[in-house]
Amino acid sequence: MLFFNLFEINKNNKNNRAVQRFIISTILQINKRIKYAMNPVNYIAGDIMKYIEQMKDTEIVWHNSNAKPIIKGNVNLIVYSQNEYGSASYLAGASLVKGTETHIASIYSKLMSVSAIGTIPDPIWHEWRLYQRKVGNDTVLILRISNSFPIEPTLDEGMNRNAWLYTYPTIRDVVLSLKEYGIQEMLFMTTDTLERYSSRTDVLRNGEYIEYEWNSSEMYKIATDAQKKEMEEDIFLVPISWVFAQMFDAFTNGLSKILICQGADCPVDEVSADTMLSRVKEIYGLDYVEQEYIRIRDLLLSAQNLQGMIGEWE
């Protein structure tokens, strides 16, 4: 989680009130900045048109419209999760969003994992967000996933028995809603594999990636020198990525792909983020917003530095 638990801080520092007050004050400032980075647009009160599409287990709120928007030309979809360790996919995906006007829909579901604690006056919006970018006459939709079902980091299948139950319905609804746009290709960007919990190491190295087409019998990794090598090992994926790829393949006629980077063992994985952005540019001609990239990276680094300070005081 990117937000720190104030209750744990209180408990662990109750014998040093000065340190406690400083930590809490600093955390509140960092949390507020990170929440703004994740949710830069608050809803404006007034007569803003919204179209609510109610699916089986999901509600999709389409903004600034009294109906689902009409999207012409070729359409592609990029999907990322903001909660992965190292934040590479979040850093890459969020820096592709250009301006607040690109936010076209908010997605809600009772099956999302949401904290019972709310904050004011800067609430966290517990929603998946859909953005839109134009590239010439083509459109790239960008879906940010948050509040997904928490997974135990283990290869023991008995530890995550409810993952499909809480993951499948929302993904199914979103894919079926977007199906009418005739999406040609879906690319799920992730570093969230379970390799670090297996006996294998260095399946991929920093800067290498796998771009897997769902249901293909072959899988290749691309090294930093652009050489292609066939992979013989299986890659272990968490549900949010493989379920989305499988449902997109099952319910649409588009090409379903997963872009996998290994994920460096560091709090902010810029190498994997840069690899993802480079590949997105090559495939879709989509540039990232450098200023937004730097801003989010610095906020993430500030949060991790603060977490290190807390560890020293505890």
Side-chain angles (χ1 to χ4, degrees), residues 88 190-191 193 201-211 220-229 231 233 235 258-264 269-276 279:
T190 186
T191 62
T193 69
T201 59
D202 295 332
V203 175
L204 290 174
R205 293 181 170 82
N206 281 354
E208 296 182 337
Y209 67 89
I210 291 171
E211 190 173 316
Y220 297 90
K221 74 174 180 180
I222 310 300
T224 53
D225 60 0
Q227 294 297 310
K228 180 186 290 188
K229 180 180 179 181
M231 296 284 292
E233 306 96 334
I235 298 291
I258 302 181
L259 177 62
I260 305 168
C261 295
Q262 175 65 37
D269 183 3
E270 292 185 65
V271 174
S272 293
D274 292 345
T275 302
M276 292 174 177
R279 189 64 186 134

Side-chain angles (χ1 to χ4, degrees), residues 7-18:
F7 300 102
E8 289 297 316
I9 300 302
N10 283 336
K11 178 181 68 177
N12 295 332
N13 294 279
K14 58 187 176 184
N15 295 323
N16 190 333
R17 297 300 181 187

Side-chain angles (χ1 to χ4, degrees), residues 96 185 187 209 211 222 226 257 259 274-287:
L96 290 171
E185 182 173 295
L187 182 72
Y209 67 89
E211 190 173 316
I222 310 300
K257 299 196 302 184
L259 177 62
D274 292 345
T275 302
M276 292 174 177
L277 289 171
S278 177
R279 189 64 186 134
V280 165
K281 172 66 174 178
E282 292 172 359
I283 301 173
Y284 307 115
L286 192 62
D287 291 310

Side-chain angles (χ1 to χ4, degrees), residues 78-80 87-98 131 142-144 189 273 276-277 288 296:
I78 297 172
V79 186
Y80 72 95
S87 301
S89 57
Y90 167 55
L91 180 56
S95 63
L96 290 171
V97 177
K98 188 175 183 180
Y131 300 90
I142 303 168
L143 177 63
R144 187 205 72 183
M189 304 189 302
M276 292 174 177
L277 289 171
Y288 73 99
I296 295 173

Side-chain angles (χ1 to χ4, degrees), residues 40-55:
V41 185
N42 287 343
Y43 299 120
I44 302 173
D47 297 327
I48 295 180
M49 291 188 297
K50 296 180 182 180
Y51 173 72
I52 300 177
E53 180 183 12
Q54 191 157 24
M55 309 291 285

